[in-house]
Structure formats: C-alpha cells, structure tokens
Amino acid sequence: MKKLCILKLGSTYETLKIQSGDFEDWIVSVLDIPRDEIEIVDPGSGVPIDIEKYGGFISTGSHSMLSEEGEYAEYLSGIVSRILDFNIPYFGICYGHQLLAKAAGCQIGFNPNGLEAGIVDIITTPEAKKDNLFGLLPGVFQAFAIHSQTILNPSSKIMRLAYNEFENHHAIRVGENAWGVQFHPEFTPFIMGEYLRQENAPAKLSQIYENNSTEISSLTLKIFVKNIIKPYNLSKIH
C-alpha cells in the first residue's frame, strides 16, 4: 500500500507548536491510520516530489497569503496540477484548498468580507448530495475557520460543495478525486482559541468552548482516507 503524503505548507506559532505540535501533527491526530503509513513532505525544501510514489495527498494550511506568494505559489500550484494529472486523491485545507482552486484556474485574493474566524456554519449544496465525500455529511454542520483569502473568480473546473453567508466556497471538488475545504477539520477548541487570541477576537472564545459542535467537520478527513484513498490504492494493486 502506498503511503499518504502530507504536504507541509507552513507552520503554526512557535508557542502553539510547543503545546500542541504543528499543522501536520493536528492532521495526523484526526486520521485513523498508523503513523508509519504517513510521510510528511515540505515542498519548500527544494527536493523534487515523486508524485506517483504516494497513494494520496493532504495539504496543510499556511499563515501565508497565496495571492502574495508569487513564484512560490506558482511552484506549489504546479505540484497540485501534477497530482490532478495523475488523478491521485487530494485533500487541501485552507491554503491547500486555495491551491487546488488556483491549479483549476481560479483567481485567489482577499475576501471582500474581511476575516472569517471562529465557529462557522457550513451549508452543503445540492451537488454535494451526490459527492463521494460530502454526500455522507448533513446538509448543515459547524466547523472552525480562520482565513482572509478566498476564491474570487471560480473556474468551470470546480464543483462547489459547501458555503455560508460569509464564504461562497467553503468546499470544492475538482475532477473525481480532489477536494478542498476552506475550514479547518484538524482544529481543536484549544487551537482555535489560540488563533482567536492572536487575532484579538476574545468575544468569540466562549463560543468555541460552550457551544462546540464541530466534530462532523473532522469527518471529512476520516472519510477521505477511508472512502477515497483506500479504495484508490486497492484499485492500483495488480
């Protein structure tokens, strides 16, 4: 069985890293697969990535703004484009979601609505009912989110799967094997709380502890591994 590759696109705050680990650690903690079946790869290391070596990809978020990354954003988008070319399962979170959209020809930029942060409602579209991943989720659920950028001009290559009043593309699919979510299925209440403190949004802190019902959002990662990656890998065994 090929390994799952987590593309490490950034790091969290040093203080939070000491307490809770980094982006990739949060993802691993959600997944129901052994750690030795996962490989962490930093595209920024300069080492070429053998795309066909892996049975699936999950991209982390990043504190960087994709529209301001210039040539590096083009480089990362090229990696995702190659993953799409090989039709290998892909799941992008936040920045990784935007990378998928960019690879599909969308324009990424700052959301005119500003910063979305805290617990948010995720509303699935009618198209999501037939989706292999989002079709298994309820029509409305809650998730943690923190982002300033969004898809400004969607291309015809993306399928919109979820949204809310603030963010028009909280989840998309490209082709049959690639998904992106603008929300954070890997966040815990503690992690979300630390980000709200960094953004000086203390009014929202009580909400994430007293009314936290974001467990369903984390199912997106679990379903991706169980229902998308594992069948894909089994289909490649001859």
Side-chain angles (χ1 to χ4, degrees):
M1 188 78 70
K2 292 183 177 181
K3 289 187 176 183
L4 164 67
C5 176
I6 295 181
L7 293 173
K8 180 177 173 58
L9 304 180
S11 289
T12 190
Y13 306 110
E14 286 301 321
T15 52
L16 183 53
K17 191 188 303 184
I18 293 171
Q19 299 176 78
S20 300
D22 211 343
F23 294 155
E24 66 273 16
D25 302 307
W26 307 344
I27 293 171
V28 170
S29 68
V30 174
L31 302 178
D32 296 324
I33 58 177
R35 181 63 180 80
D36 61 4
E37 294 182 12
I38 302 171
E39 188 170 325
I40 313 298
V41 175
D42 179 1
S45 67
V47 178
I49 301 175
D50 182 359
I51 299 296
E52 294 184 275
K53 172 184 175 182
Y54 301 102
F57 291 84
I58 296 176
S59 288
T60 72
S62 172
H63 290 178
S64 300
M65 298 297 157
L66 183 62
S67 68
E68 299 178 343
E69 288 281 274
E71 290 184 3
Y72 187 59
E74 296 298 329
Y75 166 69
L76 293 176
S77 177
I79 292 174
V80 176
S81 293
R82 287 164 55 208
I83 294 171
L84 294 175
D85 288 342
F86 284 108
N87 200 33
I88 301 172
Y90 174 92
F91 189 101
I93 299 172
C94 197
Y95 187 97
H97 156 81
Q98 295 165 15
L99 267 182
L100 174 63
K102 179 176 175 61
C106 301
Q107 179 188 357
I108 308 298
F110 285 94
N111 192 323
N113 295 324
L115 174 72
E116 183 179 42
I119 291 181
V120 302
D121 288 333
I122 306 295
I123 305 165
T124 60
T125 63
E127 291 80 7
K129 295 178 181 179
K130 299 179 181 180
D131 185 72
N132 290 335
L133 197 161
F134 277 81
L136 300 176
L137 303 177
V140 180
F141 59 94
Q142 291 188 314
F144 293 124
I146 183 162
H147 66 104
S148 296
Q149 297 215 308
T150 187
I151 297 171
L152 294 178
N153 293 316
S155 79
S156 59
K157 293 182 179 181
I158 70 170
M159 174 71 71
R160 188 176 72 139
L161 299 175
Y163 66 99
N164 63 21
E165 292 183 356
F166 191 101
E167 168 55 56
N168 201 35
H169 293 88
H170 253 299
I172 63 172
R173 190 185 76 237
V174 177
E176 296 300 322
N177 268 348
W179 287 262
V181 297
Q182 187 61 74
F183 58 86
H184 284 276
E186 81 284 20
F187 271 22
T188 64
F190 177 77
I191 292 168
M192 185 75 257
E194 290 303 300
Y195 273 87
L196 291 177
R197 290 185 181 92
Q198 290 287 337
E199 294 295 333
N200 295 315
K204 296 183 178 182
L205 286 174
S206 61
Q207 176 194 29
I208 65 174
Y209 291 106
E210 296 173 6
N211 188 30
N212 177 26
S213 55
T214 61
E215 295 87 354
I216 288 175
S217 70
S218 66
L219 290 178
T220 56
L221 281 169
K222 296 176 185 291
I223 295 171
F224 176 69
V225 170
K226 181 179 180 181
N227 290 20
I228 308 300
I229 288 183
K230 290 188 176 180
Y232 170 84
N233 276 279
L234 289 174
S235 72
K236 299 299 179 181
I237 297 175
H238 300 287

